[in-house]
Amino acid sequence: MKHPLLIIGSGPAGLTAGIYAARAELSPIIFEGRSPGGQLMGTTEIENFPGFSKGIMGPELIHQMREQAKRFGADVRMETVESVDFSDPDNLKVTTNKETYQASSVILATGASARWLDLGKGEEKYWGRGYTACATCDGAFFKDKVVAVVGGGDSACEEAHFLTRFASKVYMILRRDEFRASKPMEKRVKEHEKIEIIYNKSVTGLSGDPLLQSIELTDTRTAPSVKGDESQSDSGSLVSTLKVDGLFMAIGHNPNTEIFADFIERQPNKYFTVHEEVKSNIPSVFIAGDCSDWRYRQAITAAGFGCMAALEAERFLSEKEN
């Protein structure tokens, strides 16, 4: 059986695409993937998504989007796409962990995953409990709190500066003794009274119960760079503890695009290349959300791209029929 439209991904982009495509009677199938709901499932209260004057929890927003898509006829399946064959644009093949599907069109809404510290299982315990990767999403929850930002690029500087609106103190933790950010951004954070720079440190541990309360810092050059309790590790590296209420990762995101690399054009940073906002290099394949957007990375922009992708897919299928 050949399906009109398959949607790969179940975050705001994929589910919004599903809503629009289902209302257009395209009978879309949405594959939820390994992380149903995407990054919003690890987000607490969302205050900036239009339509919810009192805010809404991330998982609840995803639940409502999913139910809305299903109400219009979208088929949401708990399957993970393992491979694709887009060599024939008129007969796209998508293989999940359960079966192989054929389709006339596909929307890729696979999102991106925040880079973690790679500390092991302990890391997951604090995700959404003081440990996050989006200052604009979660910054307001840390009013008058002490937070830390990991990273030394422009994004980290932007996150740190944004957090000064809420936090009483913002630490910036850099692995090296210099920034990777542009000089204007570096100057901006260095001159801010709420921001303190910690050089030559890497975060090697998280602690607190049930919320994050402190982080372990290991000196990358075995030299002290922050006040606090310090001890010598078995390897000889200097270890210190820093009390914080929140830890924001700003070391980048990894777009979930790898399995499509043989068919879909990507940027050097591995995000999908888009033509006319949502079109890929294959006429029957459309792109939506964070898998192509490394600048904004917001639920509302992802949803907007999902809407656009569905409308373009509908137009493509209609023109194909005629």
Side-chain angles (χ1 to χ4, degrees), residues 27-317:
S27 303
I29 297 176
I30 303 174
F31 299 119
E32 292 201 290
R34 291 187 177 86
S35 300
Q39 295 184 65
L40 285 191
M41 296 302 288
T43 303
T44 51
E45 188 175 4
I46 299 171
E47 297 181 321
N48 56 2
F49 198 94
F52 300 94
S53 61
K54 296 182 179 179
I56 185 171
M57 300 297 283
E60 177 60 22
L61 178 59
I62 288 296
H63 172 72
Q64 291 197 28
M65 285 183 168
R66 182 188 293 113
E67 291 304 305
Q68 189 174 3
K70 290 166 65 176
R71 179 166 70 89
F72 290 120
D75 185 352
V76 183
R77 301 188 181 184
M78 294 184 63
E79 298 181 32
T80 299
V81 174
E82 297 181 338
S83 65
V84 298
D85 182 354
F86 293 163
S87 55
D88 181 357
D90 295 321
N91 188 30
L92 304 169
K93 296 180 181 178
V94 174
T95 300
T96 72
N97 57 321
K98 292 186 177 180
E99 62 179 287
T100 296
Y101 298 80
Q102 297 182 49
S104 298
S105 65
V106 169
I107 293 177
L108 303 180
T110 52
S113 302
R115 292 176 188 161
W116 287 20
L117 292 168
D118 197 22
L119 299 177
K121 292 183 178 180
E123 207 165 359
E124 296 181 6
K125 173 183 177 181
Y126 297 105
W127 193 249
R129 295 179 174 84
Y131 180 34
T132 180
C134 182
T136 54
C137 303
D138 301 327
F141 300 113
F142 294 89
K143 186 174 178 60
D144 299 324
K145 303 288 186 180
V146 177
V147 300
V149 176
V150 178
D154 280 351
S155 294
C157 291
E158 290 174 0
E159 298 271 281
H161 197 272
F162 179 84
L163 288 168
T164 60
R165 302 181 188 182
F166 311 102
S168 60
K169 178 79 172 183
V170 179
Y171 291 102
M172 283 195 72
I173 302 171
L174 281 67
R175 289 183 55 86
R176 305 185 298 175
D177 59 0
E178 61 182 3
F179 281 79
R180 291 182 292 104
S182 61
K183 291 300 180 182
M185 291 300 295
E186 178 180 349
K187 184 174 184 289
R188 190 181 185 192
V189 297
K190 282 184 173 180
E191 293 180 350
H192 201 289
E193 60 182 7
K194 282 189 177 183
I195 299 176
E196 180 176 337
I197 316 299
I198 300 175
Y199 296 100
N200 303 313
K201 293 284 187 178
S202 60
V203 178
T204 52
L206 311 176
S207 61
D209 190 20
L211 304 177
L212 179 69
Q213 295 176 318
S214 66
I215 58 177
E216 176 189 272
L217 301 177
T218 298
D219 200 292
T220 56
R221 299 192 308 178
T222 66
S225 63
V226 61
K227 296 177 182 179
D229 297 330
E230 298 176 339
S231 61
Q232 205 78 11
S233 70
D234 293 339
S235 62
S237 298
L238 198 63
V239 176
S240 58
T241 299
L242 185 66
K243 292 183 178 180
V244 297
D245 301 293
L247 179 64
F248 290 79
M249 301 306 301
I251 56 177
H253 286 69
N254 294 318
N256 303 319
T257 62
E258 201 61 39
I259 66 171
F260 309 99
D262 291 339
F263 303 99
I264 304 299
E265 290 180 3
R266 299 190 297 172
Q267 303 279 6
N269 59 9
K270 297 186 178 181
Y271 284 80
F272 287 132
T273 299
V274 292
H275 306 273
E276 299 179 45
E277 285 76 39
V278 295
K279 295 181 180 180
S280 76
N281 55 296
I282 298 176
S284 52
V285 179
F286 305 90
I287 297 167
D290 287 10
C291 55
S292 64
D293 172 24
W294 64 87
R295 182 182 296 274
Y296 301 107
R297 296 186 290 107
Q298 299 297 302
I300 188 63
T301 51
F305 281 120
C307 163
M308 294 161 63
L311 293 175
E312 290 296 334
E314 179 187 2
R315 183 177 292 111
F316 168 81
L317 292 171

